[in-house]
């Protein structure tokens, strides 16, 4: 078959949801995988058609989820949001898809609003899409998401956006009141790891709190990058009287010194997933009205899926820090517990479920596994 016929066959197999046929036609040809058609890349085609299994296979083969193209000139996320395929929107977000707001046509929230997809609008808002960006042009002037939803008569989405705006105002007031506590937390942590080099601010709050991630570069004594949160402890976790010591918490995660942390790699899932999960775990107690404690293990889906293409790690384990005294900070609102997050394999989670969290820690210690992320370390659960 010539190239035109191959492309036609691939598109036909995607439309029919024939994963095996599409994969067979593409093979290991990266150029063919990411070729640009009038409808965008094959990922755009699969996303717009609602073919989740094909989307997963294309991502597995190495398709770039953030390539621009298609009817709206945006990413595959925009196609899925506009067409109402929430399962694909959720999947692409889990793999670090950009919520592109550079142009209204490329904005997935505007796509969801245009077509009345309330659940997708809710998911995008909860995932932190910028709802304040305003657009001006020939057909619009200073139009943000709320104004657009009103113009489109999407009353349910209008209510979502109004509630989010009220929540953001409340959180801003809470953050202002808690800044002194944040400073005390950071002062405590920097005694162990060094000074803060940079901060990634959560512009759009998630649920009840806004979680910021602070970055501490490696030093002579600490050959790793330290990430620490503030904001999680602004609101207490759900807890019972017996577990009152777990009322407030912040999180810490260690990356190898070679790990690149910065705005330039925010679009690369292979680098960004530890930051994404640090923030995700920080929000879990407030979203689900529960609490975190030592030994809790959180899987990336069920069954657990690898966090990125370059590792088989798929779960996060909550641990007490190895540094003596680090885990407790006393501030005005109460004691704050600091936990270290340690990525583990699915088999290690199963081992912990079978024999206990402490047994898994013992096995990891015996193999010399530290709490610094190593995407290729041995798996003690095998």
């Amino acid at each position: 078959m010539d190239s035109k016929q191959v492309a036609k066959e691939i598109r036909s197999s995607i439309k029919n949801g024939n994963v095996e046929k599409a994969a067979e036609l593409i093979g290991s040809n990266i150029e063919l995988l990411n070729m640009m058609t009038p409808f965008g890349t094959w990922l755009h085609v699969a996303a717009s058609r609602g073919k989740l299994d094909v989307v997963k296979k294309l991502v597995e083969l190495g398709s770039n989820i953030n390539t621009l193209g298609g009817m709206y000139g945006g990413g595959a996320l925009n196609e899925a949001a506009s067409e109402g395929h929430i399962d694909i929107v959720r999947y692409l977000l889990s793999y670090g898809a950009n919520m592109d707001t550079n142009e209204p046509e490329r904005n997935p929230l505007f796509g969801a609003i245009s077509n009345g997809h309330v659940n997708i609008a809710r998911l995008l808002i909860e995932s932190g899409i910028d709802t304040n960006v305003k657009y001006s042009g020939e057909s619009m002037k200073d139009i943000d998401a709320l104004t657009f939803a009103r113009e489109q008569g999407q009353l349910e989405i209008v209510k979502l956006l109004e509630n989010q705006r009220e929540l953001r105002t409340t959180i801003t007031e809470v953050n202002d009141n808690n800044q002194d506590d944040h400073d005390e937390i950071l002062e405590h942590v920097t005694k162990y790891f060094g000074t803060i080099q940079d901060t990634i601010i959560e512009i759009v709050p998630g649920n009840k709190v806004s979680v910021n991630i602070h970055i501490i570069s490696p030093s002579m004594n600490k050959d790793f990058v330290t990430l620490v949160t503030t904001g999680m402890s602004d609101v207490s976790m759900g807890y019972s009287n017996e577990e009152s010591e777990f009322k407030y918490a912040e999180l810490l995660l260690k990356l190898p010194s070679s790990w690149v942390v910065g705005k330039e790699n925010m679009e690369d899932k292979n680098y960004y997933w530890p930051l994404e999960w640090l923030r995700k775990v920080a929000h879990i107690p407030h979203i689900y009205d529960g609490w975190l404690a030592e030994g809790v293990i959180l899987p990336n889906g069920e069954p657990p899926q690898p966090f990125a293409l370059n590792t088989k790690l798929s779960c996060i384990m909550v641990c007490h820090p190895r540094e003596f005294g680090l885990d407790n900070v006393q501030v005005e609102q109460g004691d704050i517990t600091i936990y270290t997050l340690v990525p583990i394999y699915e088999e290690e989670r199963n081992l912990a479920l079978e024999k206990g969290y402490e047994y898994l820690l013992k096995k990891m210690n015996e193999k010399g596994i530290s709490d610094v992320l190593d995407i290729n370390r041995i798996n003690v659960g095998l």
Side-chain angles (χ1 to χ4, degrees):
M1 288 188 289
D2 61 22
S3 58
K4 273 190 178 180
Q5 186 61 31
V6 171
K8 187 176 179 181
E9 290 287 329
I10 293 173
R11 184 164 181 263
S12 177
S13 62
I14 290 174
K15 286 168 61 179
N16 295 326
N18 192 333
V19 181
E20 292 78 14
K21 182 67 173 176
E24 180 187 337
L25 288 164
I26 293 169
S28 58
N29 189 331
I30 296 298
E31 203 170 296
L32 183 58
L33 174 67
N34 290 312
M35 75 173 288
M36 187 60 65
T37 77
F39 310 98
T41 65
W42 300 128
L43 191 61
H44 283 85
V45 175
S48 66
R49 293 278 178 170
K51 305 299 182 182
L52 177 60
D53 289 342
V54 181
V55 166
K56 288 181 177 180
K57 175 55 71 173
L58 292 171
V59 171
E60 182 184 317
L61 290 173
S63 183
N64 186 340
I65 61 174
N66 290 316
T67 297
L68 302 180
M71 286 183 61
Y72 310 104
L77 176 67
N78 191 27
E79 296 284 338
S82 299
E83 297 300 327
H85 304 305
I86 191 168
D87 52 348
I88 295 178
V89 172
R90 188 176 289 112
Y91 175 79
L92 291 173
L93 287 173
S94 75
Y95 268 80
N98 287 340
M99 293 185 286
D100 188 350
T101 59
N102 286 319
E103 301 291 341
E105 296 82 10
R106 286 157 51 178
N107 188 328
L109 179 56
F110 273 52
I113 292 170
S114 292
N115 297 291
H117 302 310
V118 179
N119 289 339
I120 291 179
R122 180 182 293 110
L123 175 59
L124 291 167
I125 291 167
E126 290 175 352
S127 299
I129 193 167
D130 187 355
T131 60
N132 291 323
V133 61
K134 293 184 178 183
Y135 304 104
S136 294
E138 292 181 8
S139 60
M140 55 179 62
K141 182 174 175 58
D142 289 334
I143 301 294
D144 61 9
L146 180 56
T147 306
F148 186 61
R150 285 172 177 155
E151 287 184 354
Q152 296 292 308
Q154 301 292 351
L155 300 184
E156 287 187 70
I157 300 178
V158 167
K159 189 174 181 180
L160 284 175
L161 289 162
E162 287 177 340
N163 290 342
Q164 188 247 5
R165 188 165 289 185
E166 290 174 9
L167 176 62
R168 185 169 57 241
T169 300
T170 301
I171 289 174
T172 299
E173 293 171 353
V174 170
N175 285 345
D176 289 343
N177 293 334
N178 286 315
Q179 187 56 50
D180 288 345
D181 286 349
H182 293 186
D183 292 343
E184 288 189 45
I185 294 165
L186 294 178
E187 183 180 351
H188 176 77
V189 171
T190 54
K191 290 177 183 176
Y192 291 84
F193 302 113
T195 58
I196 304 294
Q197 299 298 317
D198 200 2
T199 297
I200 301 174
I201 298 172
E202 187 171 38
I203 298 172
V204 180
N207 199 266
K208 300 175 183 177
V209 299
S210 180
V211 176
N212 297 328
I213 298 175
H214 307 275
I215 303 165
I216 301 174
S217 297
S219 64
M220 289 182 62
N221 299 324
K222 309 291 181 183
D223 188 27
F224 50 81
V225 177
T226 306
L227 307 178
V228 62
T229 66
T230 56
M232 179 183 176
S233 60
D234 288 353
V235 177
S236 65
M237 298 188 286
Y239 69 104
S240 66
N241 290 332
E242 291 76 23
E243 305 290 349
S244 59
E245 66 267 30
F246 302 132
K247 189 172 182 181
Y248 299 102
E250 295 290 353
L251 305 176
L252 183 142
L253 194 152
K254 298 174 183 176
L255 301 174
S257 58
S258 59
W259 202 273
V260 182
V261 183
K263 294 178 181 178
E264 65 276 5
N265 68 348
M266 288 298 181
E267 298 176 7
D268 189 337
K269 183 75 174 179
N270 290 334
Y271 282 106
Y272 184 65
W273 68 264
L275 290 85
E276 176 189 13
W277 267 85
L278 187 62
R279 183 167 278 149
K280 184 182 293 187
V281 175
H283 282 304
I284 282 175
H286 307 304
I287 294 173
Y288 300 106
D289 293 324
W291 71 85
L292 294 178
E294 182 183 22
V296 168
I297 297 176
L298 303 165
N300 182 30
E302 200 60 72
Q305 299 300 308
F307 292 120
L309 296 174
N310 64 348
T311 185
K312 292 184 178 179
L313 294 166
S314 61
C315 303
I316 292 287
M317 181 167 63
V318 180
C319 305
H320 276 303
R322 297 190 177 189
E323 293 80 6
F324 180 76
L326 173 62
D327 61 344
N328 187 267
V329 188
Q330 293 181 336
V331 299
E332 187 174 344
Q333 67 183 14
D335 286 357
I336 295 173
T337 303
I338 294 180
Y339 294 108
T340 296
L341 300 186
V342 178
I344 63 173
Y345 296 103
E346 178 183 2
E347 295 82 3
E348 292 174 337
R349 180 191 71 154
N350 295 339
L351 184 63
L353 292 175
E354 179 186 350
K355 296 191 175 182
Y357 155 77
E358 292 182 349
Y359 179 83
L360 173 59
L361 277 185
K362 179 182 176 184
K363 295 287 288 184
M364 293 173 71
N365 287 334
E366 287 173 357
K367 296 295 183 180
I369 297 171
S370 75
D371 55 356
V372 178
L373 172 65
D374 180 351
I375 59 174
N376 296 312
R377 69 171 175 80
I378 61 170
N379 183 342
V380 302
L382 293 176

